[in-house]
Amino acid sequence: LTKISTPFEDLCKEKQTEIFLSWKFSNDPQLVAIYKTFSTAILSAAYNMSNSPHQAAIGYPGTDPVRSAPDYIPCIVRERYSIMNEKELLDPTLKFDVIIVGSGAGGGVCAAELSQAGLSVLVIEKGKYYHESEFTSDVPVAYKNMYLQGGSFAARKGEISVLAGSTFGGATTVNFLASLKPQHFVREEWAKMGLTHFTSSKFSDDLDKVYKRIGATTEGIKHSIPNQILIDGCKKLGCHIENIPQNTSGKSHECGWCLTGCKDGIKNGTSNSWLRTAAQHGARFVDQAKVNRVIIVDGKATGVEFQINNSDQTIRLNSSRVVISAGSLSTPGVLFKSGLKNKNIGQNLRLHPVTVVYGFFDNRQTDPFEGSIMTSISSSLENLDGEYYGSKLVVPHHTTDMFIFGVPWQGKKEHKEAMLKFRQSSSVAVLVRDKDSKGSVGYTKDDKISITYEISKIGKMSIVKGNIRAAMILCAAGAREIHTGSFGMKPFVFSPDESIEVNNPRFVKWLDEIEKYGMPVNGMNYFSAHQLGSCRMGVSPDTSATKPTGETWETRNLYVCDASLFPTASGVNPMVTTEAIALHVADSIIK
């Protein structure tokens, strides 16, 4: 690995650095993978611990200084949900019309609709229920408490990292408030696959119903400095830019910590909207429950077997219908354990790959962790292949884990200099509408999620083109130094005597080098916060895991209701689409 006979630990720091960076810039993907593994692990340990001295050194507060104050009063205070205990669940007379596994965008909506229709409903959630007063903005703690497998985890070969919510309310509790409807070309594509419901007036009405219930609107938006930088850069380049509707009922919400849950109670995730409706109509709730299987008798779902709080006690409850809304990474596992064999279960996984480009600004304190997270979007690259696959540009959350992700280690001195510019930084995330990638989800012997993923040619092009456009936007907004996150690319720095212009010959040459470098194996950090399509709906069991109603092909009265139903990638944050599909599945069950 080092091409030197002297043991690595006996080399001087300068030689160690030289070797380490030779792996970073290597043409051998295995050497690059070693650089990626060590740099990610070490920097994560240094910067992503609670009360990190490294965070203090760069001026990052570590927790929300406003909402972590002992005397802070939330904007909205709600009653606690009543969670069933083991004794109640062991009542032999207990039976429900519908048991729903999962409380996120799919399960929450389904619970509200079915309980309002007069059906008795039980919602079983894998994660723990936290009242808003119990949320912490300490990111490492929140990851452990409220995210699947304790936070970010890598696909089997390490090429992409995945982040998924796992708490009461699912991802809607920890997302960035972005409330975007599926665009016309997505709906038309799904209709051409035989799913004509998606171009119906009923689906349009359902989307409007979702917007109304979650209070999705652009009113009350106050852009953070990074979002304003995206807006300014796009306007200077003549690129499309618009505001993203927020699910805040028009209330202003300048909080950069919503990935840890909305302590203000303003964000209308399912726990603050649909699940409240379900509770008002008699729905019951269980948290910290591990579902072992759906009970199936004579080809029909008749209940669920599960355990709570890591208890050895197995609980079996009967129901007339079962709805699996565990999310694209967990729903296939429940179906597998229940004995379903459809070849499409766990396949066709789409991930909306994301890369991040950072810019550093002279004499401008951006404090990127302050203000609303994601309030603006540019769709100027959404149709790179002529079939509406490409990338969108948004602003991600600004925590140290994201910063070290987007600004790779360049050496001791260079790393420290970059980290000390954290409060003068701003970023643009490139979100790709996944097409033709090879993705699937499976499980290890100890029930851990195991993802295989190979990004497609159009996916790689979308990332590269997106990185170039993001760099141009940051440049147009005045960034002197720009990092792409590509391991084989050095950052671009305008010299003090150069004007910061997108037509600067050196900058244009650097952009050309980004395109030439492309996206080799292990060549950059990228991640996914949207997982879709692993139990897609369709018109045939040969090509899909469920019927157009969400009912599984193999088992009567067993439904899927979450983003795993997506026939293809939506290209936008999936919450609104998932909730509208859930209205359709609920209608199908009621009928």
Side-chain angles (χ1 to χ4, degrees):
L1 295 177
T2 66
K3 299 181 180 177
I4 298 174
S5 59
T6 305
F8 187 82
E9 65 268 26
D10 294 337
L11 298 172
C12 66
K13 295 292 184 183
E14 287 71 24
K15 191 63 180 177
Q16 288 181 346
T17 297
E18 180 185 326
I19 291 170
F20 200 63
L21 290 178
S22 74
W23 299 341
K24 178 179 187 290
F25 293 105
S26 173
N27 291 323
D28 184 340
Q30 291 182 314
L31 291 178
V32 180
I34 293 172
Y35 162 84
K36 179 180 179 180
T37 300
F38 277 105
S39 62
T40 300
I42 293 166
L43 294 179
S44 294
Y47 290 99
N48 296 339
M49 67 174 85
S50 300
N51 303 311
S52 165
H54 301 81
Q55 292 181 351
I58 66 174
Y60 175 66
T63 59
D64 185 343
V66 176
R67 294 163 185 83
S68 296
D71 57 348
Y72 180 72
I73 300 175
C75 300
I76 301 172
V77 180
R78 292 181 172 87
E79 292 183 5
R80 296 183 67 90
Y81 280 91
S82 175
I83 304 297
M84 297 184 73
N85 58 39
E86 186 173 303
K87 183 178 179 181
E88 292 174 298
L89 291 166
L90 290 172
D91 180 351
T93 65
L94 200 60
K95 186 179 185 298
F96 295 90
D97 293 321
V98 184
I99 294 177
I100 300 173
V101 179
S103 61
V109 173
C110 224
E113 294 299 295
L114 298 179
S115 60
Q116 286 182 99
L119 301 176
S120 58
V121 173
L122 175 68
V123 177
I124 299 177
E125 170 55 46
K126 178 181 180 180
K128 185 176 179 180
Y129 165 61
Y130 293 95
H131 186 262
E132 287 88 343
S133 62
E134 298 170 321
F135 289 158
T136 174
S137 57
D138 189 339
V139 176
V141 176
Y143 279 164
K144 181 180 178 181
N145 290 346
M146 304 174 75
Y147 283 77
L148 200 60
Q149 298 188 178
S152 177
F153 61 96
R156 187 178 297 171
K157 294 183 179 180
E159 59 273 54
I160 187 169
S161 297
V162 172
L163 197 63
S166 182
T167 187
F168 195 77
T172 71
T173 299
V174 293
N175 69 14
F176 298 170
L177 295 85
S179 304
L180 292 160
K181 293 181 179 180
Q183 292 162 283
H184 69 91
F185 47 82
V186 176
R187 296 174 61 180
E188 290 164 4
E189 180 180 73
W190 293 357
K192 288 176 182 177
M193 298 170 72
L195 300 167
T196 56
H197 170 70
F198 290 108
T199 50
S200 69
S201 58
K202 177 64 168 60
F203 186 65
S204 298
D205 292 342
D206 284 346
L207 289 168
D208 291 340
K209 181 176 179 177
V210 168
Y211 256 40
K212 183 177 180 180
R213 184 65 186 91
I214 68 175
T217 177
T218 55
E219 295 177 12
I221 286 179
K222 293 182 180 178
H223 294 296
S224 64
I225 292 176
N227 277 281
Q228 192 60 54
I229 285 171
L230 174 60
I231 293 168
D232 294 344
C234 283
K235 287 183 176 178
K236 287 187 177 181
L237 294 178
C239 295
H240 165 269
I241 188 73
E242 63 179 281
N243 290 344
I244 299 176
Q246 312 282 291
N247 57 333
T248 63
S249 300
K251 296 180 178 68
S252 180
H253 190 47
E254 297 177 87
C255 173
W257 305 85
C258 262
L259 73 157
T260 63
C262 182
K263 205 171 181 70
D264 279 330
I266 289 177
K267 176 167 63 178
N268 294 318
T270 58
S271 64
N272 288 342
S273 54
W274 303 98
L275 291 172
R276 290 286 172 187
T277 300
Q280 290 164 7
H281 289 82
R284 307 293 300 276
F285 305 96
V286 179
D287 73 345
Q288 301 181 81
K290 178 185 178 182
V291 172
N292 297 326
R293 66 184 179 99
V294 177
I295 302 168
I296 299 172
V297 178
D298 296 330
K300 182 189 294 186
T302 62
V304 170
E305 179 183 289
F306 63 99
Q307 295 160 301
I308 63 171
N309 299 323
N310 297 314
S311 169
D312 293 331
Q313 176 70 56
T314 297
I315 298 170
R316 295 178 180 86
L317 290 179
N318 294 324
S319 63
S320 302
R321 303 280 192 283
V322 176
V323 179
I324 308 301
S325 302
S328 291
L329 300 183
S330 297
T331 287
V334 177
L335 299 181
F336 285 144
K337 289 188 291 185
S338 303
L340 275 71
K341 304 294 185 184
N342 182 290
K343 66 180 181 180
N344 296 290
I345 296 172
Q347 301 300 309
N348 308 302
L349 180 68
R350 296 290 177 262
L351 292 179
H352 281 177
V354 173
T355 60
V356 183
V357 179
Y358 270 90
F360 298 155
F361 293 78
D362 288 345
N363 305 314
R364 183 176 185 182
Q365 193 143 307
T366 59
D367 282 342
F369 47 83
E370 293 184 351
S372 303
I373 297 177
M374 187 181 291
T375 55
S376 53
I377 184 169
S378 175
S379 301
S380 55
L381 296 176
E382 70 182 12
N383 189 16
L384 288 174
D385 71 337
E387 295 182 354
Y388 287 99
Y389 283 86
S391 51
K392 290 182 171 63
L393 306 179
V394 292
V395 173
H397 69 277
H398 287 84
T399 53
T400 48
D401 65 313
M402 181 62 74
F403 192 66
I404 60 176
F405 177 92
V407 182
W409 193 85
Q410 303 279 343
K412 295 185 298 178
K413 178 174 179 288
E414 292 81 2
H415 167 73
K416 291 178 175 67
E417 287 176 341
M419 295 306 295
L420 288 168
K421 296 173 186 174
F422 176 67
R423 295 183 69 181
Q424 287 78 48
S425 71
S426 190
S427 67
V428 175
V430 179
L431 185 149
V432 173
R433 186 180 179 216
D434 215 358
K435 179 186 181 183
D436 294 337
S437 295
K438 297 177 182 178
S440 64
V441 57
Y443 305 88
T444 62
K445 291 181 180 179
D446 58 351
D447 216 22
K448 294 290 186 182
I449 295 165
S450 177
I451 295 169
T452 58
Y453 185 77
E454 182 181 337
I455 192 168
S456 65
K457 184 176 180 181
I458 177 63
K460 291 180 179 181
M461 182 183 76
S462 298
I463 284 178
V464 173
K465 295 288 187 183
N467 283 350
I468 292 171
R469 180 63 57 84
M472 293 174 67
I473 288 168
L474 289 166
C475 172
R480 182 168 295 279
E481 182 175 336
I482 300 172
H483 295 248
T484 67
S486 298
F487 299 145
M489 292 293 302
K490 292 183 178 180
F492 184 88
V493 183
F494 287 94
S495 61
D497 59 347
E498 280 182 303
S499 61
I500 301 174
E501 298 284 350
V502 293
N503 61 0
N504 176 295
R506 280 201 317 115
F507 183 65
V508 172
K509 182 180 178 182
W510 181 72
L511 296 179
D512 289 340
E513 290 172 358
I514 294 176
E515 184 137 33
K516 289 176 185 175
Y517 177 75
M519 192 176 171
V521 176
N522 294 322
M524 67 176 68
N525 281 321
Y526 64 111
F527 73 99
S528 162
H530 304 156
Q531 300 86 39
L532 322 163
S534 59
C535 292
R536 67 181 179 186
M537 61 166 54
V539 295
S540 167
D542 293 332
T543 56
S544 61
T546 81
K547 302 173 185 178
T549 59
E551 188 176 29
T552 61
W553 290 104
E554 298 171 72
T555 305
R556 287 171 291 154
N557 297 343
L558 175 59
Y559 290 78
V560 172
C561 186
D562 55 31
S564 71
L565 290 175
F566 285 27
T568 62
S570 60
V572 296
N573 306 61
M575 176 178 65
V576 171
T577 307
T578 304
E579 295 191 356
I581 291 175
L583 289 173
H584 169 63
V585 173
D587 285 345
S588 301
I589 293 171
I590 292 166
K591 289 175 182 178

